[in-house]
Amino acid sequence: KLALAERIRGHVLSLALQMYGCRVIQKALEFIPSDQQVINEMVRELDGHVLKCVKDQNGNHVVQKCIECVQPHALQFIIDAFKGQVCLY
C-alpha cells in the first residue's frame, strides 16, 4: 500500500481529475492508514486546487473522500479554500 502511495505521489491532481484515476486516489485514501505521513503528502498535492476539484465531477469525489478518510488536522487547506467562496443567505 505504501509502495502504491509512493508511485501516486506527484500525480494526485491529474489522477483526481480523471474518471478512473479518481477511483485510484479514493481507494488509496481508504486503504492506506490515515496516520501514515504519505497520505498527508498526497492530500497536500490538492492544495491550491481544491475549488477546481470540487467543480469537477471526478475531483469532487476525491475531495469528499479526503474529508471522510484523512485526519482533520491535515484538511485545513480544504476549509481555507472555501473561505470567501460560500455565500450564506
Side-chain angles (χ1 to χ4, degrees):
K1 293 176 186 176
L2 293 178
L4 171 64
E6 290 294 329
R7 295 290 305 236
I8 291 172
R9 280 183 21 182
H11 306 284
V12 174
L13 179 61
S14 63
L15 288 169
L17 299 175
Q18 297 175 24
M19 181 170 35
Y20 297 111
C22 75
R23 294 178 180 153
V24 171
I25 301 300
Q26 289 176 75
K27 287 299 177 184
L29 292 169
E30 270 184 59
F31 289 105
I32 297 170
S34 64
D35 62 346
Q36 296 290 323
Q37 181 62 30
V38 71
I39 285 293
N40 294 341
E41 293 169 5
M42 285 174 49
V43 171
R44 286 300 281 188
E45 290 185 38
L46 300 177
D47 194 358
H49 308 284
V50 173
L51 295 178
K52 179 178 183 176
C53 289
V54 169
K55 293 175 185 178
D56 180 85
Q57 67 180 13
N58 301 310
N60 189 6
H61 292 293
V62 172
V63 173
Q64 289 180 49
K65 188 58 76 172
C66 288
I67 293 168
E68 179 184 325
C69 296
V70 177
Q71 295 180 0
H73 66 83
L75 299 175
Q76 186 61 45
F77 75 95
I78 292 176
I79 295 165
D80 292 343
F82 286 99
K83 288 182 180 171
Q85 300 293 321
V86 181
C87 295
L88 300 175
Y89 294 98

